Every structure is written in structure tokens, then in C-alpha cells.
Amino acid sequence: MSNRLSELLTVFSTGDMVRGSGMAAYVLLFLIVSGGLILSLQWVPARQRANFLAYHRLISFSALALLLLHGLAFFIDKYAFVSWMDVLIPFWTQHKTLEIATGIIALYTMAALVLTSYRSVMKAIGYENWRATHYLAFPCFILSFYHGAMLSKSSNILFLSWIYPATASIVSSLLLMRVWKLVERRRSENENSAG
């Protein structure tokens, strides 16, 4: 069975699997973060929120699965000299240490985000703790951005030259809108309480 699986997987090079799964996970993470900001900006009609949240959760689980494939793809290649420690422990590897470490930390952060999204876990930890945990989506996105952008710098793939600036610009714009909305709401509350 494992030989057959290896044969099927050799259709794609290990590099293609690593890059493809990593890029797909990054794009899904972008959709997760921007989707969360869109929800918090209340741009989703109330009747569509349940469906939007269901897709948001599905995309999150898919992104985590792709991240796991991204790390495991190194072990399919007989010629890749990567240890489990290189893939699982930040700052362990001697090759592009910071770039790899940010990806590993992003993986663990993404796992925490996904695991706390189960309704039973959400109820157990409480809404405030769940919300605080979900602010980790921003560092996760930044770490993933750095990991992908730095490791793909030497690539000649046109898609990679614009995907990182485009996604970072969109998330930054949505985040600024969210902060502006919070500032305006607090200013309005202060004016109402003072008057």
C-alpha cells in the first residue's frame, strides 16, 4: 500500500507538493482572516451569518490539513534530508532557520485556532477566552506571510510575486477599517455618556 501511495505521489515533485500545499494553506488563511474581519465589520447580512461561519470553519479545517501536508511532504522525497525535529521544532533546522521557524510557529498557532473552534471547546473555555485566542489569527497571518514571502523570493513564479503584497494589503485595509470602527464607536459612547 505504501509503495502504491509513493508511486501516486511521485507524479508531483516534492517541491511542487511543498510549495503547492503551502501556498494553498496561505491563501486559505488569508480567506479566514479577511472573512473574520468582514464578520466583525458586520458586512455579512444576519440571515447569511450562519452559512458564512460554517464556510469559515470549513476553510479553517482545510487550511490546517494543507499545513500538515505541507510539513509531511518533505518525508515523501527519498533525497530530502529533513528530520522530524526540523519540521516540528522551531529554530531547530540550520537551513533558513528564521523562515522555517515562522512557518512552524504559524502551524501551531493555526492548530490552536482550529481546535478552539469546536463548539464544545468554545463552551468550555468561554466566549472571552475564545475571542482572545482568535486574535492569534493576526500573528498567524503575519508569520505565514513572512514564511512564504521569504522562502519564495528566489522563485520565478509570477503568481508569487503579487499574491503576498495583495493579500497583505487587503488584510491591512480590513484591519484598519475594523480599528476605525472601534474608535468611532468608543468616541460615540464617550460623547453619549458625557452629554
Side-chain angles (χ1 to χ4, degrees):
M1 177 68 177
S2 66
N3 286 341
R4 181 72 177 135
L5 180 61
S6 293
E7 288 174 21
L8 287 172
L9 292 175
T10 55
V11 171
F12 303 104
S13 73
T14 303
D16 290 341
M17 289 181 72
V18 169
R19 275 189 299 279
S21 59
M23 181 49 59
Y26 175 78
V27 170
L28 291 181
L29 179 59
F30 159 72
L31 293 174
I32 294 161
V33 173
S34 56
L37 285 165
I38 287 168
L39 276 169
S40 71
L41 287 164
Q42 298 177 346
W43 290 354
V44 178
R47 66 183 183 282
Q48 296 296 325
R49 272 182 87 80
N51 288 338
F52 195 93
L53 282 168
Y55 287 119
H56 186 72
R57 194 170 289 124
L58 175 65
I59 292 169
S60 300
F61 289 117
S62 301
L64 183 58
L66 283 168
L67 284 175
L68 293 172
L69 175 62
H70 180 64
L72 293 174
F74 286 104
F75 298 103
I76 295 168
D77 189 354
K78 292 179 265 193
Y79 305 106
F81 301 104
V82 178
S83 73
W84 284 103
M85 306 292 245
D86 292 330
V87 174
L88 296 175
I89 301 175
F91 304 104
W92 183 271
T93 185
Q94 299 301 311
H95 175 71
K96 297 191 178 187
T97 306
L98 182 60
E99 293 87 343
I100 302 295
T102 56
I104 295 169
I105 296 167
L107 166 67
Y108 293 139
T109 307
M110 185 69 190
L113 290 166
V114 169
L115 292 174
T116 58
S117 294
Y118 282 103
R119 287 195 173 108
S120 58
V121 176
M122 289 169 68
K123 286 180 183 176
I125 65 173
Y127 177 76
E128 291 302 319
N129 291 327
W130 171 84
R131 187 177 175 131
T133 302
H134 269 63
Y135 283 120
L136 289 173
F138 298 112
C140 184
F141 181 78
I142 292 166
L143 291 167
S144 297
F145 171 85
Y146 180 82
H147 172 78
M150 291 299 108
L151 290 175
S152 68
K153 274 182 10 182
S154 61
S155 174
N156 292 328
I157 302 170
L158 180 62
F159 173 74
L160 296 178
S161 67
W162 63 265
I163 192 71
Y164 291 107
T167 55
S169 297
I170 292 168
V171 167
S172 298
S173 298
L174 289 170
L175 184 57
L176 286 172
M177 284 184 234
R178 177 66 175 131
V179 169
W180 178 261
K181 186 175 180 177
L182 284 173
V183 168
E184 285 298 309
R185 188 173 76 204
R186 290 212 174 120
R187 183 180 299 150
S188 174
E189 288 170 358
N190 290 340
E191 288 173 2
N192 289 341
S193 64

